[in-house]
Coordinates of all heavy atoms in Angstrom, one line a residue:
L5 N -6.4 -1.9 18.1 CA -6.4 -1.9 16.7 C -7.7 -1.4 16.1 O -8.7 -1.9 16.6 CB -6.0 -3.3 16.2 CG -4.5 -3.7 16.2 CD1 -4.4 -5.2 16.0 CD2 -3.8 -3.0 15.2
L7 N -9.7 -0.1 12.3 CA -9.6 0.1 10.9 C -9.5 1.5 10.6 O -10.2 2.3 11.1 CB -10.9 -0.5 10.3 CG -11.0 -2.0 9.9 CD1 -12.4 -2.3 9.6 CD2 -10.0 -2.3 8.8
F13 N -5.8 -2.2 9.6 CA -5.8 -2.1 11.0 C -4.6 -1.4 11.4 O -3.4 -1.6 10.9 CB -5.9 -3.4 11.6 CG -7.1 -4.3 11.3 CD1 -7.0 -5.3 10.4 CD2 -8.3 -4.0 11.9 CE1 -8.1 -6.0 10.0 CE2 -9.4 -4.8 11.6 CZ -9.4 -5.8 10.6
V20 N -1.7 -3.7 10.4 CA -2.0 -5.1 9.8 C -2.8 -4.8 8.5 O -3.9 -4.3 8.6 CB -2.9 -5.9 10.8 CG1 -3.3 -7.2 10.2 CG2 -2.2 -6.0 12.2
V22 N -4.6 -6.4 5.2 CA -5.3 -7.6 4.8 C -5.5 -7.6 3.3 O -6.6 -6.8 2.9 CB -6.6 -7.8 5.6 CG1 -7.2 -9.1 5.2 CG2 -6.3 -7.8 7.0
I39 N -1.7 -11.1 4.0 CA -1.8 -10.6 5.4 C -0.4 -10.1 5.7 O 0.5 -11.0 5.6 CB -2.4 -11.5 6.4 CG1 -3.8 -11.9 6.0 CG2 -2.3 -10.9 7.7 CD1 -4.4 -13.0 6.9
D75 N -15.8 -4.6 6.9 CA -17.0 -4.4 7.6 C -16.6 -3.6 8.8 O -16.0 -4.1 9.8 CB -17.6 -5.8 8.1 CG -18.9 -5.6 8.9 OD1 -19.2 -4.5 9.6 OD2 -19.7 -6.5 8.8
E77 N -18.4 -2.0 11.0 CA -19.1 -2.2 12.2 C -18.6 -3.4 13.0 O -18.5 -3.3 14.2 CB -20.6 -2.4 11.8 CG -21.6 -2.5 13.0 CD -23.0 -2.7 12.6 OE1 -23.4 -1.9 11.8 OE2 -23.6 -3.6 13.1
K78 N -18.2 -4.4 12.4 CA -17.6 -5.6 13.0 C -16.1 -5.5 13.3 O -15.5 -6.3 13.9 CB -17.9 -6.9 12.2 CG -19.4 -7.3 12.2 CD -19.6 -8.6 11.4 CE -21.1 -8.9 11.3 NZ -21.3 -10.1 10.5
G79 N -15.5 -4.5 12.5 CA -14.1 -4.4 12.6 C -13.4 -5.5 11.9 O -12.4 -6.0 12.5
S80 N -13.8 -5.9 10.8 CA -13.2 -7.1 10.1 C -13.0 -6.8 8.6 O -13.7 -6.0 8.0 CB -14.1 -8.3 10.3 OG -15.4 -8.1 9.6
I81 N -12.2 -7.7 8.1 CA -12.0 -7.7 6.6 C -12.0 -9.2 6.2 O -11.4 -10.0 6.8 CB -10.6 -7.0 6.2 CG1 -10.5 -5.6 6.7 CG2 -10.3 -7.2 4.7 CD1 -9.1 -5.0 6.5
E82 N -12.9 -9.4 5.2 CA -13.1 -10.8 4.7 C -12.6 -10.8 3.2 O -12.9 -9.9 2.4 CB -14.5 -11.1 4.7 CG -14.8 -12.5 4.1 CD -16.2 -12.9 4.2 OE1 -16.9 -12.7 5.3 OE2 -16.8 -13.5 3.3
V96 N -10.8 -15.9 4.1 CA -9.9 -15.5 5.3 C -10.7 -14.2 5.8 O -10.9 -13.4 5.1 CB -8.5 -15.2 5.0 CG1 -7.8 -14.7 6.1 CG2 -7.9 -16.5 4.4
V97 N -11.0 -14.4 7.2 CA -11.6 -13.2 7.9 C -10.7 -12.8 8.9 O -10.3 -13.6 9.9 CB -13.0 -13.6 8.4 CG1 -13.7 -12.4 9.1 CG2 -13.9 -14.1 7.3
V98 N -10.2 -11.5 8.9 CA -9.4 -11.0 9.9 C -10.2 -9.9 10.7 O -10.8 -9.0 10.2 CB -8.1 -10.3 9.3 CG1 -7.2 -9.7 10.4 CG2 -7.4 -11.3 8.5
T99 N -10.3 -10.1 12.1 CA -11.1 -9.3 12.9 C -10.2 -8.7 14.0 O -9.5 -9.4 14.7 CB -12.3 -10.1 13.5 OG1 -13.0 -10.7 12.5 CG2 -13.2 -9.2 14.3
A100 N -10.4 -7.4 14.3 CA -9.7 -6.8 15.4 C -10.3 -7.3 16.7 O -11.5 -7.3 16.9 CB -9.8 -5.2 15.3
K101 N -9.4 -7.7 17.6 CA -9.8 -8.1 18.9 C -8.9 -7.5 19.9 O -7.8 -7.9 20.3 CB -9.6 -9.6 19.1 CG -10.5 -10.5 18.1 CD -11.9 -10.6 18.6 CE -12.7 -11.5 17.6 NZ -14.0 -11.7 18.0
G102 N -9.3 -6.2 20.4 CA -8.4 -5.4 21.2 C -7.2 -5.1 20.6 O -7.1 -4.5 19.6
K103 N -6.0 -5.5 21.2 CA -4.7 -5.2 20.7 C -4.2 -6.2 19.7 O -3.0 -6.2 19.3 CB -3.7 -5.0 21.8 CG -4.1 -3.9 22.8 CD -3.3 -3.9 24.0 CE -3.7 -2.8 25.0 NZ -5.1 -3.0 25.4
A104 N -5.0 -7.2 19.4 CA -4.6 -8.3 18.4 C -5.7 -8.4 17.4 O -6.6 -7.7 17.3 CB -4.6 -9.5 19.3
V105 N -5.4 -9.3 16.4 CA -6.3 -9.7 15.4 C -6.6 -11.2 15.5 O -5.7 -11.9 15.8 CB -5.9 -9.3 13.9 CG1 -5.9 -7.8 13.7 CG2 -4.6 -9.9 13.5
E106 N -7.8 -11.6 15.2 CA -8.1 -13.0 15.0 C -8.2 -13.3 13.5 O -8.8 -12.5 12.7 CB -9.5 -13.3 15.6 CG -10.0 -14.7 15.4 CD -11.4 -14.8 16.0 OE1 -12.4 -14.5 15.3 OE2 -11.5 -15.2 17.2
I107 N -7.5 -14.4 13.1 CA -7.6 -14.8 11.7 C -8.3 -16.1 11.6 O -7.9 -17.1 12.2 CB -6.1 -15.0 11.1 CG1 -5.3 -13.7 11.2 CG2 -6.2 -15.5 9.7 CD1 -3.8 -13.9 10.9
A108 N -9.4 -16.1 10.8 CA -10.2 -17.4 10.7 C -10.2 -17.7 9.2 O -10.3 -16.8 8.3 CB -11.7 -17.0 11.1
W110 N -12.2 -20.1 6.4 CA -13.4 -20.8 6.1 C -13.4 -21.5 4.7 O -12.9 -20.9 3.8 CB -14.6 -19.7 6.1 CG -14.7 -19.1 7.5 CD1 -14.2 -17.9 7.9 CD2 -15.5 -19.6 8.6 NE1 -14.6 -17.7 9.2 CE2 -15.4 -18.7 9.6 CE3 -16.3 -20.7 8.7 CZ2 -16.1 -18.9 10.8 CZ3 -16.9 -20.9 9.9 CH2 -16.8 -20.0 10.9

Side-chain angles (χ1 to χ4, degrees):
L5 279 165
L7 274 168
F13 300 99
V20 180
V22 181
I39 297 170
D75 187 330
E77 187 175 308
K78 292 181 182 175
S80 68
I81 300 173
E82 178 178 319
V96 174
V97 181
V98 180
T99 306
K101 300 283 185 177
K103 296 170 189 56
V105 291
E106 174 185 86
I107 301 172
W110 296 93

